[in-house]
Amino acid sequence: MRNTLKQLAKMTVSAAVLGAAFLSAPALADEDGVLKIGAPLALTGGLADEGKKQEAVWQLWLEKINANGGVEVGGTKMPVELVYYDYQTDGKRAGQLAEKLITDDGVDVLMSPFGSGHTKIVAAVAERYQTPLLACVASSVSVYDQGFKFLFGTLAPNTGMTESMVAYFKEKMPGLSKVAVYGRDDVFPKAMATALAASADGAGLDVVYNELYAVGTMDHSAAVSAIKSASPDWIYMTGYTQDLILGRKQMSDLGVDAPIISMVTGPAYAEFTEGLGELADGVTSSTWWHHATSYTDTIGAWSSTADFYSDFVGKFGSDPDYVHGSCAAAADVLVNAVQTAGSTEKVAVRDALAATEVLTFYGPIDFGDNGMNQGREMPIIQVQGGDIKVLYPASIADSEMSMIE
């Protein structure tokens, strides 16, 4: 126990130092003059790739905000501090650290960790302490139907993804008739698998395989063999990056193929294509945002999608994905709510979030009664020759769908 406390103390200092590195004045000495944002992040463990993306884009955002002296709240400039801890991809620990951020660190608002499951845990803590919580990577409706009043999410409902994919693929492949669905038994991946099966069935497609796999599964061969026997036209697998990489490799090893292979949300991440090489080619997916969109920002650190893209590539040398876009926009939305409220008083900030209806570089943010961003057209993407191509919607599409042979 003593070692654990020492470790937490060390992490607190590290987080504060990291945040202070971007401040333009020594305002940390006066905590009342600082807007403090807290976040439990998965920086180690199974969701470390995703957690590090949140950390990176928030540091980019923080640097830009504090380069201008912070944000103006009630006529006063307030520098912004980000306080975060590594919860090691352990949901229970995420909840404990969220409570620590509120009670010990005195944060004004919270940002949620990656994923619907861990967001749900942190949301219960935020609700107990009536602290506004913005989730930038949680899209399962089951997180938002719990009656939480302090939770808001920038991702649109995931059901919109499956309906648009079914419609698009039916149009592009008139002979499409049989679908195999294979999903990770976890909040978001399970919700996506369930929604796809329902959307496919509703569109008259035959769902010839529909099973879930346990978290931590390291051998998909039995499921892949069963899918092969069902001879689907479309294989749809959900999970996180390492699950999908393993699943795609085992499909190849066992000679499983289909005209359409979708992995949600694999191709949205560079780690997926890098981990699979040529095996990623032809895989489709859906995502909440792509940098090919063209939005003009009315409230935040970046004036447009192109402005954000330029800064991101200049800093990291790679393209941003939807995690980067949604999380940076979420930070802007939080600040806008504090500015609208005119203070960091938590209930006032919560009320300002509930009334939010703005346009950001990431797109429109308009929270519904359950705290979720309203539905909109979400891109369908495909790996083609190692590059990510947008297939849908037509307004940003840069390629036609390439069938897997």
Side-chain angles (χ1 to χ4, degrees):
M1 180 67 176
R2 182 175 297 172
N3 289 338
T4 301
L5 290 173
K6 286 182 177 178
Q7 184 182 23
L8 278 175
K10 184 176 180 181
M11 290 168 66
T12 304
V13 172
S14 298
V17 169
L18 191 52
F22 295 115
L23 296 176
S24 59
L28 283 174
D30 179 10
E31 291 185 356
D32 290 338
V34 178
L35 172 59
K36 297 181 74 172
I37 300 175
L41 290 175
L43 301 179
T44 56
L47 294 177
D49 287 344
E50 290 82 358
K52 288 175 181 176
K53 289 181 180 185
Q54 292 179 278
E55 177 191 29
V57 81
W58 283 335
Q59 292 298 347
L60 177 66
W61 173 85
L62 193 67
E63 182 176 12
K64 196 168 183 74
I65 289 291
N66 285 326
N68 293 320
V71 297
E72 188 167 322
V73 179
T76 302
K77 276 280 190 177
M78 296 179 68
V80 183
E81 179 187 355
L82 176 65
V83 185
Y84 61 92
Y85 300 105
D86 176 16
Y87 73 92
Q88 302 169 347
T89 316
D90 180 328
K92 182 178 180 180
R93 184 176 175 83
Q96 292 168 341
L97 291 175
E99 185 167 15
K100 174 178 171 55
L101 284 162
I102 296 168
T103 60
D104 292 354
D105 298 298
V107 299
D108 301 301
V109 291
L110 281 173
M111 299 292 270
S112 178
F114 183 89
S116 295
H118 293 168
T119 292
K120 197 171 188 176
I121 293 170
V122 172
V125 176
E127 196 73 15
R128 188 161 72 249
Y129 288 97
Q130 296 198 331
T131 298
L133 170 67
L134 204 50
C136 55
V137 272
S139 68
S140 297
V141 176
S142 62
V143 177
Y144 298 88
D145 65 2
Q146 306 298 302
F148 296 133
K149 299 300 182 184
F150 284 77
L151 170 66
F152 300 88
T154 49
L155 294 186
N158 51 32
T159 50
M161 283 185 167
T162 60
E163 292 165 359
S164 60
M165 284 191 90
V166 170
Y168 177 82
F169 289 148
K170 282 192 70 177
E171 176 189 344
K172 294 300 179 181
M173 185 181 171
L176 175 63
S177 63
K178 296 192 295 182
V179 183
V181 179
Y182 185 45
R184 171 172 160 140
D185 193 3
D186 201 353
V187 178
F188 166 71
K190 179 180 179 179
M192 291 301 295
T194 301
L196 191 282
S199 295
D201 183 67
L205 301 179
D206 185 11
V207 181
V208 295
Y209 183 89
N210 186 9
E211 297 291 341
L212 299 173
Y213 61 92
V215 175
T217 295
M218 296 304 294
D219 184 4
H220 299 285
S221 58
V224 170
S225 295
I227 290 171
K228 184 177 183 179
S229 298
S231 301
D233 306 307
W234 180 9
I235 299 171
Y236 182 93
M237 180 177 177
T238 70
Y240 295 116
T241 303
Q242 297 308 315
D243 302 317
L244 301 178
I245 289 175
L246 178 61
R248 183 68 185 101
K249 286 180 176 178
Q250 292 188 333
M251 286 181 197
S252 177
D253 292 342
L254 294 171
V256 177
D257 209 347
I260 305 171
I261 294 179
S262 298
M263 293 191 150
V264 176
T265 54
Y269 303 118
E271 295 84 358
F272 178 83
T273 52
E274 291 167 357
L276 282 174
E278 291 183 358
L279 280 179
D281 206 43
V283 176
T284 56
S285 190
S286 49
T287 187
W288 286 268
W289 176 83
H290 190 273
H291 58 78
T293 53
S294 181
Y295 293 110
T296 300
D297 194 299
T298 60
I299 64 161
W302 291 280
S303 62
S304 64
T305 311
D307 185 26
F308 172 74
Y309 179 76
S310 176
D311 270 8
F312 188 93
V313 173
K315 179 76 172 183
F316 301 110
S318 60
D319 288 346
D321 61 32
Y322 82 90
V323 174
H324 300 116
S326 180
C327 290
D332 278 340
V333 169
L334 261 185
V335 165
N336 180 69
V338 172
Q339 291 175 314
T340 300
S343 76
T344 58
E345 199 279 316
K346 292 179 178 180
V347 173
V349 173
R350 181 264 162 214
D351 291 345
L353 282 169
T356 294
E357 188 174 344
V358 296
L359 184 63
T360 72
F361 76 87
Y362 162 80
I365 305 293
D366 179 9
F367 298 122
D369 292 339
N370 66 350
M372 288 194 82
N373 196 11
Q374 299 295 298
R376 54 180 168 143
E377 284 190 324
M378 291 178 278
I380 298 172
I381 58 177
Q382 184 177 41
V383 183
Q384 295 183 11
D387 295 327
I388 302 300
K389 299 295 184 180
V390 179
L391 306 178
Y392 170 92
S395 59
I396 60 170
D398 59 5
S399 182
E400 289 291 323
M401 186 169 72
S402 173
M403 295 293 188
I404 293 178
E405 299 179 357

